[in-house]
Structure formats: structure tokens, C-alpha cells
Amino acid sequence: MVALVLMVVGLYSIETGYKYQFSNNDPGRVTVYCVKKESTGCLWHVHAVSEFDSFVIKTMHSEHFCGFVCKDVTSCLMSSKLVENLILEIVRGMPLVKPKDLMTTLKTDYGLDITYYYAYTAKKIALEEIHGIDGLCFHQLKWLKNTIVENNPGSRVILDIDSTKKFERMFICFEASSYGFNHCRPIVYLDGTFLKNKHKGCLLAATAKNGNQ
Ligand SMILES: [Zn+2]
């Protein structure tokens, strides 16, 4: 929970230029003060407590009395973890965002300069965080096969692997689709799409016209 507060306050710090300090080591609650509280008596603070997977702000004073500040792009709160979280949220909203667009957004909105390589790598890590790692997903195909057969009786699933247990192909036909084919007109639409992830491949789908149409 504290990490989440740290990230949000870190982003707020980048946007406003004000710096903060944390107190309370209790994992269930955290208080954030203006870094100039002692020297200027600034009352800005946020007190938050943990509830489920999030945190709730209980008390807050949102005005600074410590004077004006300028954005400081070298702020220590702007850690690489913070930038990664920032990119994670951008990629979550726009999975197809390009590294160059990430560079532009971070520069425009937060004054951050990142290299193309950093943007490319951070986007890759963000996609893995959101969708899982491609390689590990193959380990779940056996589970997927069993789950489909178990929950859709009559469905046919064939998972082919070679002698080294390397994935070759997978065929899935749900019982409902198989049953529906018996009542369709004899027209089959076949379409395929190239999988553009690390392991490539092709996804084929066959669909027949609904007999009622
Ligand atoms: Zn202040």
C-alpha cells in the first residue's frame, strides 16, 4: 500500500514541483508531509490508510504555505520504478502506443527525458505485466485444454507437441459450435490472423452461416 501512495505522490510531485517526506512505517497507514514542514510550518499533508488493495485518504491539507516552487525534473522521487509505473498505466490504456509516443508523452506531461531503448524496454515489460509472459503462457495450454473439456462437455480440443514437448499446434471446437454447424447452410468462412508476439504463429477460425439467416 505504501508503494502505491509513494507512486501517486511521486507523480504529484513531478507535476507540481513540491517535494514530500513520509512518516509512519506501519504498512497499513502512511502520512505524507511537505518537505518544508519543519522550516516553514507548511501544513500540506495527506494521511491515508489501507483498505483492501487500495488506500483511502482520511485527512488532507492541500495548500502549501512554503512558497512557490519550479518543477524539478531531477527530483529524487522520479525513480526508475516510478517511470515504469507511469509507462505501465499509459500502456494499459493504449496497448498499441509506440515507444516514440511514450517518449513524447513523458516529455510533454512530466518533463522526463527517456531514451528510445528505455521506452521500448519499459513498454515490453508493461505488456508482460498486463498480459503475462508469452513463453510462460504455453505452459497453461494443457490447463486450458482440460478446462474447456471439463466445462464444455462434448467439446474437442487437440494439443499437439513434438518429442521435445515443444508446442506445435492446437485445435479447439466447442460443443455449441459443433452442434450449430449441423443447422447451418453449407457455407464456411475461414479466416486467419498472424500472431505478432515473440513466438509468431497463425490463428485460424472457421465460421458457418447461421441456418436461420
Ligand atoms: Zn509546502
Side-chain angles (χ1 to χ4, degrees):
M1 195 281 282
V2 174
L4 189 57
V5 176
L6 188 71
M7 187 189 83
V8 174
V9 173
L11 291 176
Y12 188 65
S13 176
I14 292 171
E15 291 191 12
T16 62
Y18 288 101
K19 292 181 181 175
Y20 305 95
Q21 61 188 10
F22 293 78
S23 69
N24 291 15
N25 291 323
D26 184 341
R29 58 185 63 241
V30 64
T31 306
V32 190
Y33 296 104
C34 172
V35 77
K36 293 182 179 174
K37 176 177 179 256
E38 299 298 330
S39 59
T40 66
C42 182
L43 296 175
W44 190 98
H45 76 275
V46 170
H47 177 65
V49 297
S50 174
E51 282 191 15
F52 302 105
D53 290 335
S54 190
F55 64 90
V56 175
I57 293 175
K58 291 294 184 183
T59 61
M60 177 177 180
H61 189 96
S62 59
E63 287 183 56
H64 282 276
F65 298 121
C66 54
F68 294 104
V69 294
C70 294
K71 281 190 179 183
D72 178 7
V73 295
T74 62
S75 166
C76 61
L77 284 170
M78 197 172 53
S79 64
S80 58
K81 188 67 190 167
L82 183 61
V83 179
E84 281 173 18
N85 281 325
L86 198 55
I87 291 176
L88 174 65
E89 292 312 312
I90 296 173
V91 173
R92 201 189 296 280
M94 295 186 293
L96 299 178
V97 66
K98 293 177 179 172
K100 279 196 171 179
D101 296 331
L102 280 175
M103 292 167 71
T104 305
T105 302
L106 290 179
K107 179 68 178 173
T108 307
D109 295 354
Y110 300 98
L112 302 178
D113 281 309
I114 57 171
T115 63
Y116 181 88
Y117 177 76
Y118 186 95
Y120 174 84
T121 308
K123 184 195 168 187
K124 186 165 166 280
I125 292 171
L127 285 174
E128 287 178 353
E129 173 92 13
I130 296 166
H131 300 299
I133 299 171
D134 290 343
L136 294 180
C137 290
F138 283 90
H139 288 287
Q140 297 178 341
L141 290 179
K142 196 171 179 184
W143 169 86
L144 177 65
K145 175 185 174 183
N146 294 337
T147 303
I148 290 175
V149 173
E150 203 175 302
N151 293 285
N152 296 270
S155 295
R156 187 159 170 75
V157 183
I158 301 171
L159 175 61
D160 283 345
I161 53 176
D162 67 13
S163 57
T164 63
K165 295 190 176 178
K166 185 179 170 188
F167 172 81
E168 285 195 323
R169 65 186 76 82
M170 188 173 193
F171 172 84
I172 301 173
C173 181
F174 292 103
E175 161 64 10
S177 300
S178 174
Y179 177 79
F181 263 71
N182 294 325
H183 305 280
C184 289
R185 294 179 186 177
I187 300 174
V188 174
Y189 297 89
L190 184 66
D191 198 7
T193 184
F194 295 106
L195 303 176
K196 295 180 178 177
N197 61 12
K198 182 181 171 188
H199 301 283
K200 310 299 177 195
C202 184
L203 177 66
L204 288 174
T207 313
K209 197 170 181 181
N210 188 320
N212 295 323
Q213 291 178 334

